[in-house]
Amino acid sequence: MVIQLNPEPEDQEVQALADFPDGELLEITKVERQKKSDHRYIIHFGTYNMTVHEDVMIKYRMISGNSFMKQDLEEIVVADERQRAYVEGLRYLERKPRTAQEMARRLREKEIGETIIAEVLQRLQQERFIDDPLYAKQWAEQRITNQRKGKLWIRQELREKGIDKSLIAEALENISPEEELESALQTGRKKWNMIRGDMNDKRRKTGAFLMRRGFPGEVVRQVMNTLREEENAEGYDDEFYDFE
């Protein structure tokens, strides 16, 4: 899937290191844990300071006595932003799977730069934490089986989640016509039995209900026929209602 990126915001290292002097060797004078954060540290260079994630601090050996040039720190700031985005991505995945577009939207909300968003998305996809083809397949199966929604409804939901059209089509192909018909019949029968009224009321309300749930007209007609037969009704006219 191709994620559309917004224009790159102002470079993060420019903001974080704006006051740091150029061309000077900067020695770390103090390292302290940031309050209300178990994994971020404040790195002091005399009167200057910056914050980094614990993993980044360890990777670049940011300990008291070590020295860095400003250009070295700019690289570290980018690495820290990348790590922050990755950790935020994993946190966002804790409750349930996400699509690539949902993840990109979340990271933008956290003011992550677009270049880093692209890098983190690629990493999460390589590690299979984000898998749009699998997501689409499982979503379609769950919706048709448990939520009793039709393919039209499922297609629209997956579009809104940013799933590529080809992946949506592939996921829906895994749902057989028999599965969709059975799903529609079960939810239609429940709705039918709840309606108090004559046959026309039941047909009209049940048919409209199934259409709203994303079942196509042909499936709705088949369900109406079955429900009519179950009640041994007579005088049913297939053309009386058009559920297209």
Side-chain angles (χ1 to χ4, degrees):
M1 173 183 177
V2 177
I3 299 295
Q4 296 296 323
L5 300 180
N6 294 328
E8 185 73 34
E10 184 178 0
D11 290 343
Q12 296 293 325
E13 63 268 22
V14 173
Q15 299 177 19
L17 305 174
D19 297 330
F20 280 57
D22 295 310
E24 293 184 20
L25 195 61
L26 301 165
E27 181 179 335
I28 296 178
T29 55
K30 181 181 179 182
V31 176
E32 62 177 324
R33 189 187 298 272
Q34 192 173 30
K35 294 180 179 180
K36 299 181 180 181
S37 176
D38 293 333
H39 302 290
R40 295 198 66 81
Y41 287 77
I42 303 174
I43 312 298
H44 295 269
F45 300 85
T47 59
Y48 307 101
N49 65 77
M50 61 186 291
T51 64
V52 297
H53 190 274
E54 181 179 37
D55 293 344
V56 175
M57 180 186 71
I58 293 172
K59 177 180 179 180
Y60 288 91
R61 293 184 55 78
M62 302 187 78
I63 58 178
S64 295
N66 281 358
S67 299
F68 299 83
M69 298 297 290
K70 183 176 180 178
Q71 56 265 39
D72 299 324
L73 298 180
E74 290 173 349
E75 176 186 341
I76 292 173
V77 168
V78 173
D80 182 65
E81 182 75 351
R82 189 180 295 115
Q83 179 66 16
R84 181 173 79 89
Y86 180 71
V87 170
E88 180 61 39
L90 293 180
R91 185 178 296 117
Y92 190 49
L93 290 164
E94 286 179 352
R95 289 191 174 185
K96 62 180 182 179
R98 309 286 182 174
T99 67
Q101 181 168 290
E102 287 176 327
M103 180 59 68
R105 186 183 302 119
R106 174 69 172 188
L107 295 180
R108 289 189 187 106
E109 291 173 354
K110 296 298 180 178
E111 300 183 347
I112 304 295
E114 294 292 341
T115 299
I116 290 179
I117 288 176
E119 293 174 358
V120 170
L121 281 176
Q122 184 176 28
R123 178 179 177 183
L124 291 172
Q125 289 167 335
Q126 289 173 344
E127 295 172 348
R128 304 300 296 274
F129 287 121
I130 290 180
D131 188 335
D132 279 4
L134 180 61
Y135 184 101
K137 180 176 181 294
Q138 292 180 340
W139 182 273
E141 291 174 348
Q142 187 268 344
R143 287 317 231 190
I144 201 76
T145 302
N146 299 333
Q147 299 295 322
R148 305 299 179 191
K149 300 292 178 63
K151 287 185 179 182
L152 298 176
W153 181 292
I154 297 169
R155 177 179 288 108
Q156 182 59 33
E157 286 184 320
L158 290 176
R159 283 177 179 172
E160 292 173 355
K161 290 179 174 293
I163 299 294
D164 187 84
K165 290 182 179 180
S166 63
L167 296 180
I168 295 175
E170 185 177 326
L172 294 178
E173 284 177 2
N174 291 323
I175 300 173
S176 69
E178 292 76 18
E179 287 179 296
E180 186 173 32
L181 177 58
E182 179 60 25
S183 178
L185 181 58
Q186 290 194 31
T187 192
R189 183 182 289 119
K190 181 177 180 181
K191 180 67 174 180
W192 180 280
N193 292 331
M194 292 174 60
I195 298 171
R196 296 293 176 263
D198 60 22
M199 183 66 66
N200 285 338
D201 284 339
K202 288 193 170 190
R203 291 174 64 255
R204 184 179 65 255
K205 293 178 181 179
T206 302
F209 175 74
L210 292 175
M211 293 291 285
R212 288 196 300 272
R213 294 182 75 85
F215 293 104
E218 181 56 34
V219 170
V220 174
R221 277 193 290 269
Q222 292 180 60
V223 170
M224 294 299 98
N225 283 336
T226 299
L227 295 177
R228 182 201 61 178
E229 292 171 359
E230 288 178 351
E231 286 204 0
N232 295 318
E234 296 181 356
Y236 182 74
D237 183 356
D238 287 342
E239 298 182 355
F240 190 81
Y241 284 102
D242 185 0
F243 291 105
E244 290 292 355

